[in-house]
Amino acid sequence: MEELRSTDFLDQEIEEEAKKRAATLLKTADEQCALIQSQIPERLENARKEKEKFYADKEAKFKRDLDSSLALEKSRFLVSYISSSVISAVGTYLSGLDTAKRISLYADMLASKENLVKDKKFNMKIYGLEEADVRKGLEGKYGIKILECTKTDFVHSGEEDIEGLDLHEGIILEDENRLFKCRLTIEQLVSSLQDKNNRELAVALFGGRLPE
């Protein structure tokens, strides 16, 4: 009987100790829950501020990128517009000249190569021009002797289209030994004028003040 009582007493002590520990754990848990709950408003506010900053930074970056992109596109458009306007104006001017004058301008492109072409014989291809006019212009100005003449068109001339230039004509010379080839075309002439005098032409075209 004494042993049974001792066992009951021990069980009772264990149960009471377990209850005490459980109560302590529950109290600690309640305290932690209360602490967490008390921190929730602050955590939510911090999270809100972080999100606001995150999206504000993204919005600011997007605006910077957009402003930069718009400025670049504006610059590109302006350069393209000025270039196209200059080419169109030059093309209009050249179109207003008579054929003989334009051929004379093409022939002048040989000025720096006179020692290579004078008194030599060439075969030629032409497009947008008449053979008689070209022979008269080249043979009379630089003493170039033309052997054969072949007509072609702009598409097969090997020249590249220039935006703003509507007139297409030119002369392609090749010496009889096929050692020298020269393109005397309106496309080459306009490109050369643009490369050398683009700003001067643009300023003249826009009345001394380039568009902004």
Side-chain angles (χ1 to χ4, degrees), residues 87 91 94-95 102 106 126-130 152-171 184-188 190:
I87 290 171
L94 292 174
S95 297
R102 288 199 303 274
Y106 303 150
I126 59 174
Y127 61 96
L129 295 168
E130 294 300 324
T152 185
D153 55 32
F154 173 69
V155 174
H156 298 94
S157 68
E159 291 295 292
E160 293 185 6
D161 193 15
I162 298 177
E163 184 179 356
L165 183 63
D166 297 324
L167 178 63
H168 300 294
E169 61 183 20
I171 309 155
L184 312 176
T185 69
I186 192 171
E187 290 80 19
Q188 295 292 329
V190 170

Side-chain angles (χ1 to χ4, degrees), residues 68-81 211-212:
S68 176
S69 176
L70 288 174
L72 182 60
E73 285 302 314
K74 179 182 177 182
S75 176
R76 286 176 177 170
F77 173 80
L78 185 59
V79 169
S80 176
Y81 171 73
E212 299 177 357

Side-chain angles (χ1 to χ4, degrees), residues 16 18 23 28 33 39 51 55 60 64 78 80 131-132 136 155 174 176 185-186 190 204 207:
E16 289 177 356
T28 300
C33 287
Q39 293 175 340
K51 286 296 182 184
Y55 287 112
R64 287 195 303 271
L78 185 59
S80 176
E131 180 180 349
K136 181 179 179 181
V155 174
E174 185 175 45
E176 58 183 335
T185 69
I186 192 171
V190 170

